[in-house]
Amino acid sequence: MKHRLLISLFAVAGSPLWLAGCDRDAEESRSAGTAPVAEEAGNSEPAAPTVDQRLAAFLDEVFERNVSESPEFQAQLGRKTADYGRWDDHSEDRAIRRHEQIQSDLARLRAEFDVEALGPESRVSYRIFEYDSESALRDFPWRQHRYAVSQMDNIASRVPSFLQNLHRVDSLQDAEAYVSRLAGAETVMDQYVERLRLGEARGVVPPMMVYPRVLPAARNMLTGAPFDETAPDGVLMADFRAKVDALDLDPDARSRLMEDAAEALRGPFRAGYERLIGELVRLQGIADDNNGVWDLPDGEAYYASRARSSTTLDMPVAEIHEVGLVEVARIRSEMEAIMATVDFDGDLQAFFDYVRNDPDNYYPNTDAGREAYVREATALIEGVYAIADDYFNV
């Protein structure tokens, strides 16, 4: 049962933030994307867009262009387009083109908009776009220092996860797009092999701890039917079968889809996965046990770039560490303030144990307890939604 004390602590710790957000001037709460002002009576000329509206149009344009170039992002947004059966381009050539786009977008932002002429919220949008673009441009030279495959980001697991969770099948066309993506996985794996080799050429090889975690996940995708006709369906065959079975299709169409999926899995899908597995096995033979950034070429400079991107602080890493110590002390003091608020007698570790384990902090495991939890949690959620439109308009 959800923790009763945590809901109370959320209210205590979160109230200042919400109050500060709600106390903004009404004029500042207007969205930068507000529609153009209506024409005045008798004036046949439409009102010229404001600078805020022009910025909103620019940001929308860039966003939609980026969406149009990413079939995977389109699926995340629930959009089904002509690209529904395709994967993103993960190649080095695409990375270079994307870098050039960001350079062009940033130059256009600065040439077409005077940040001081923008309204308060539009100014924030400008600065965020500028910051994100500058960060991406700074990080570009280090792109091959990031492991192309790791236990935290394994393309061999990401492909099936995407198909299971994001590729909806609501029609015959959606099912055919699923089969197309199964076949297209070969190209994705080849692009990741290319990225692994580009990293190796720079002296960047995933460390030894990666392979025992990523290789089993990749090999698992080649087990079960249709790779072994005597076995139950493999992960993706089972997913596809369940999605096709939910459609209102005639038996011939259903049979054809299953046959096409099996052919795609046995053919290009398996070929791509086998090449990725082979490359990882090869790299495992030359990898070492040094798991830190210091083991990479120019590791100290790379670490500094990561620290800046992660913290937004443009200062030496030793100073960032000191800032971190100060922040840890601040957070600890705020935790201790919460302990005082709830009259807890003991140190911080004892408070953590109390929060986790004391039965008085839990709703009763009864119908009445469940009702109380739902009532209080719903009230908190409704409080968030009551002000959500002030912060999000999409």
Side-chain angles (χ1 to χ4, degrees), residues 27 52 96 255:
E27 179 67 21
D52 287 13
I96 293 170
S255 176

Side-chain angles (χ1 to χ4, degrees), residues 8 45 78:
S8 299
E45 293 296 324

Side-chain angles (χ1 to χ4, degrees), residues 329-346:
R330 178 186 62 79
I331 293 169
R332 184 184 182 93
S333 69
E334 292 186 6
M335 291 177 177
E336 290 168 345
I338 292 174
M339 289 167 54
T341 299
V342 297
D343 296 324
F344 181 80
D345 184 16

Side-chain angles (χ1 to χ4, degrees), residues 23-232:
D23 196 36
R24 296 175 305 163
D25 182 85
E27 179 67 21
E28 294 184 6
S29 69
R30 291 183 303 162
S31 167
T34 303
V37 177
E39 305 171 19
E40 292 184 9
N43 185 355
S44 61
E45 293 296 324
T50 67
V51 64
D52 287 13
Q53 291 161 357
R54 288 196 300 105
L55 177 67
F58 166 77
L59 297 176
D60 285 347
E61 175 191 333
V62 171
F63 176 79
E64 291 299 334
R65 180 205 66 204
N66 293 343
V67 171
S68 73
E69 296 176 357
S70 174
E72 295 172 30
F73 191 30
Q74 290 169 27
Q76 291 175 28
L77 295 174
R79 299 186 185 181
K80 293 181 181 180
T81 70
D83 294 330
Y84 200 50
R86 297 177 50 222
W87 297 100
D88 284 5
D89 183 349
H90 299 279
S91 68
E92 172 70 0
D93 287 345
R94 170 57 183 156
I96 293 170
R97 292 196 304 273
R98 179 75 185 121
H99 177 67
E100 292 169 348
Q101 278 183 334
I102 295 171
Q103 287 178 313
S104 176
D105 292 341
L106 182 58
R108 185 178 161 196
L109 175 81
R110 289 170 169 164
E112 296 182 12
F113 302 97
D114 176 5
V115 66
E116 298 304 324
L118 296 168
E121 292 191 3
S122 294
R123 201 173 303 154
V124 171
S125 296
Y126 180 107
R127 292 302 188 198
I128 290 174
F129 188 92
E130 180 181 52
Y131 174 82
D132 285 346
S133 300
E134 289 173 341
S135 295
L137 296 177
R138 279 197 308 270
D139 290 346
F140 180 74
W142 300 106
R143 66 195 180 283
Q144 286 154 7
H145 273 63
R146 294 190 292 273
Y147 301 129
V149 176
S150 72
Q151 73 277 19
M152 303 299 293
D153 186 11
N154 181 8
I155 186 61
S157 299
R158 191 144 44 90
V159 161
S161 177
F162 180 96
L163 288 169
Q164 289 174 305
N165 300 315
L166 292 173
H167 189 108
R168 301 198 323 272
V169 175
D170 302 315
S171 66
L172 172 64
Q173 291 74 25
D174 294 348
E176 291 170 340
Y178 192 115
V179 173
S180 178
R181 277 189 164 135
L182 289 176
E186 179 178 24
T187 298
V188 176
M189 299 305 150
D190 286 344
Q191 290 171 342
Y192 271 81
V193 168
E194 175 198 30
R195 290 174 60 176
L196 285 164
R197 291 177 179 171
L198 288 170
E200 181 190 8
R202 288 204 174 193
V204 178
V205 175
M208 191 64 72
M209 68 174 181
V210 167
Y211 306 94
R213 294 169 173 82
V214 302
L215 279 169
R219 289 171 173 145
N220 185 56
M221 297 314 303
L222 303 181
T223 62
F227 311 105
D228 179 358
E229 294 294 352
T230 65

Side-chain angles (χ1 to χ4, degrees), residues 53 71 92 205 234 243 294-295 300 364:
Q53 291 161 357
E92 172 70 0
V205 175
K243 289 174 176 176
W294 55 83
D295 195 42
E300 186 173 343

Side-chain angles (χ1 to χ4, degrees), residues 2 7 363 371-384:
K2 181 67 177 179
I7 290 185
Y363 291 95
E371 289 173 5
Y373 164 68
V374 170
R375 184 171 56 254
E376 293 187 37
T378 301
L380 285 171
I381 294 168
E382 289 175 348
V384 172

